[in-house]
Amino acid sequence: AVFPTGRPSDQAKNPLATDATGAGTYNLTIGADVEKVFGHAFGSLNAWMTYRFARTVATPGVAPITESFALQWTFLAVAGYVFDSEAALGLYLNVLQEGDGTVNGTRDDGTSLRLTTGGLVGLLPIHDVWRIQGSVFSDILISSFGRNEPAAGIGLTLTLIRVWL
């Protein structure tokens, strides 16, 4: 569950809503995960759906608008391999899909969302309590894999982790 704790863009005070910190809606999410290990190899399939509650936007001098959202579905597939050294490599594909929303009870065609991201992740133990984790990922740059996303993302992470327990 997600509760609106920030400031939605319609209540922002700064130009371009740079002080907005949230969407202003409550969310409920439920999902399922299936995992399997085959010796050194592993796989996981995850699926969850998110229901975002409707919200009313009231701007001074303009009639209030009630915005409703379609169900949002997310699917995640992961496959990987753990070596005898405990180093690991994995691949993942994540797909987020949401249908058209509604404004004042009327379907708002063309507002559906789709974002597909794939990545390669790795883990390298360097001592009993230290490890390095990293990933390289990208949104799939094919038009049918994305819809209504402002920009395609590409990224790289590198993390040094110490475990105390």
Side-chain angles (χ1 to χ4, degrees):
V2 174
F3 299 91
T5 58
R7 177 182 297 159
S9 60
D10 61 294
Q11 295 175 6
K13 301 198 183 340
N14 293 344
L16 301 177
T18 57
D19 57 332
T21 57
T25 62
Y26 294 88
N27 296 358
L28 289 178
T29 299
I30 188 166
D33 171 40
V34 177
E35 299 177 0
K36 181 69 177 164
V37 175
F38 309 91
H40 286 277
F42 63 90
S44 175
L45 294 173
N46 303 266
W48 60 94
M49 87 178 165
T50 299
Y51 176 79
R52 296 190 301 163
F53 288 85
R55 68 182 294 262
T56 299
V57 177
T59 305
V62 179
I65 296 172
T66 299
E67 181 181 26
S68 299
F69 307 94
L71 281 177
Q72 187 178 82
W73 292 89
T74 306
F75 302 96
L76 173 64
V78 179
Y81 190 85
V82 179
F83 299 91
D84 289 333
S85 67
E86 295 184 1
L89 282 175
L91 293 169
Y92 73 88
L93 183 67
N94 188 79
V95 179
L96 178 147
Q97 174 74 44
E98 181 179 307
D100 288 329
T102 64
V103 174
N104 293 334
T106 302
R107 183 178 169 173
D108 192 6
D109 291 331
T111 59
S112 64
L113 301 173
R114 183 181 311 118
L115 179 62
T116 306
T117 305
L120 171 68
V121 296
L123 177 133
L124 179 64
I126 53 176
H127 191 269
D128 288 345
V129 296
W130 291 94
R131 68 178 182 246
I132 297 173
Q133 283 184 199
S135 68
V136 60
F137 56 91
S138 176
D139 297 334
I140 307 298
L141 304 175
I142 300 171
S143 63
S144 61
F145 285 84
R147 179 174 176 91
N148 286 334
E149 290 298 324
I154 188 165
L156 173 71
T157 66
L158 188 60
T159 308
L160 177 64
I161 298 174
R162 185 188 191 288
V163 179
W164 278 271
L165 299 177

